[in-house]
Amino acid sequence: MMKKRRKSVLLLATMGVFLINGCGAKEEVQEILSSVEEQTTVANETQLETFVQSEEPTKTESASEPEPGSGQETQTTQILPVKEVKYMDIVHIFKPYEQAVEISLQVPEDWNYTLWDVEEESPDWGYTVKVQGREDAILGIFGQHGTLTGADSSNGPKSFLTSQGMTGQYFWDEYTLDDGNPAIQGTIIFDTELLAGFYGASFNMPKSIYSENKDIIDKVFQSIVIKEAQ
């Protein structure tokens, strides 16, 4: 609307000059036109500048403050780094029945293990691993003269496969400790064809410890290699 009014004023001024002075007032008309155009330009620039200045605070306020009742809150989530588990290799050659059998596996560096060899009073052989060094959380990787069976277990058998392709059958049970807390125990019977005994792995611990370390325990069992040694 402002632009149309300025054009109307400009047209009336031009017509008035022609009517009063005739065609000889061309130069004066040109000056009037220039003056009106300059005023129009200045007015437009002033109006644009005023509009931008009035809009900037509104945009800043809108960006910095949420709308009332929006229910949006800024939350900071802290992601804890995952602890890296470092493993160590355990390798030993046992000689049951005068046969050389190598049993190897990987366990976390901060877990304790004990090796027991073949003796007359203790015919079994293998390793005992303490989960997180606890006396009540034990893994066993072993060989023995007698046949292994999981017939007394409530659950299983379930197929088990190591990373090196050794197969076995997995059995497990859940029970209650004297303190009332749940516990779990299990046995893996490996399908070995070695002449020197039968081989398996076992675990027994509170269920809370098993749940906390399940992935690591699985990796330990999957790393087991049992083979004839030279």
Side-chain angles (χ1 to χ4, degrees):
M1 294 293 294
M2 184 65 69
K3 188 174 181 181
K4 290 182 178 180
R5 289 177 182 176
R6 290 197 183 95
K7 287 183 177 181
S8 299
V9 172
L10 179 62
L11 181 59
L12 290 173
T14 305
M15 292 176 63
V17 171
F18 271 103
L19 290 173
I20 296 171
N21 297 320
C23 298
K26 182 178 180 180
E27 294 180 357
E28 293 183 9
V29 171
Q30 218 36 59
E31 290 178 359
I32 294 173
L33 288 175
S34 299
S35 176
V36 172
E37 287 178 353
E38 287 177 0
Q39 291 177 6
T40 303
T41 302
V42 172
N44 288 337
E45 291 177 351
T46 303
Q47 183 183 12
L48 178 61
E49 183 178 358
T50 303
F51 176 78
V52 172
Q53 289 177 353
S54 64
E55 283 292 309
E56 286 179 351
T58 304
K59 291 181 180 180
T60 304
E61 183 178 356
S62 175
S64 60
E65 297 182 6
E67 294 182 1
S70 63
Q72 296 180 353
E73 296 181 359
T74 303
Q75 297 180 353
T76 303
T77 303
Q78 183 178 4
I79 300 176
L80 297 177
V82 178
K83 182 180 178 182
E84 180 182 359
V85 179
K86 295 183 179 180
Y87 292 84
M88 58 181 173
D89 296 320
I90 303 175
V91 182
H92 186 74
I93 296 176
F94 302 88
K95 293 185 177 180
Y97 299 113
E98 300 302 322
Q99 300 286 329
V101 178
E102 179 183 291
I103 304 178
S104 63
L105 67 152
Q106 293 181 324
V107 299
E109 290 182 348
D110 56 350
W111 290 12
N112 306 109
Y113 78 93
T114 302
L115 181 151
W116 76 90
D117 216 328
V118 180
E119 298 178 0
E120 291 183 3
E121 63 274 13
S122 179
D124 299 340
W125 56 94
Y127 309 94
T128 296
V129 180
K130 297 179 180 179
V131 177
Q132 298 179 347
R134 297 175 59 114
E135 297 289 341
D136 61 344
I138 303 297
L139 308 181
I141 299 90
F142 58 90
Q144 67 178 46
H145 294 296
T147 303
L148 289 169
T149 179
D152 296 334
S153 299
S154 301
N155 303 289
K158 183 178 179 181
S159 298
F160 185 85
L161 180 67
T162 69
S163 59
Q164 297 297 316
M166 187 168 60
T167 61
Q169 300 298 314
Y170 170 48
F171 303 83
W172 73 98
D173 285 296
E174 295 188 23
Y175 63 100
T176 303
L177 297 169
D178 293 338
D179 59 7
N181 290 319
I184 185 169
Q185 62 183 4
T187 302
I188 301 171
I189 302 174
F190 290 115
D191 303 323
T192 57
E193 297 180 356
L194 302 177
L195 296 177
F198 300 87
Y199 293 86
S202 64
F203 66 90
N204 192 347
M205 66 193 70
K207 193 172 181 180
S208 59
I209 302 301
Y210 178 78
S211 298
E212 181 181 348
N213 296 276
K214 183 181 183 303
D215 292 342
I216 300 176
I217 293 172
D218 288 346
K219 185 169 183 178
V220 170
F221 285 156
Q222 288 174 0
S223 71
I224 296 173
V225 176
I226 303 172
K227 62 183 181 180
E228 294 182 356
Q230 301 297 328

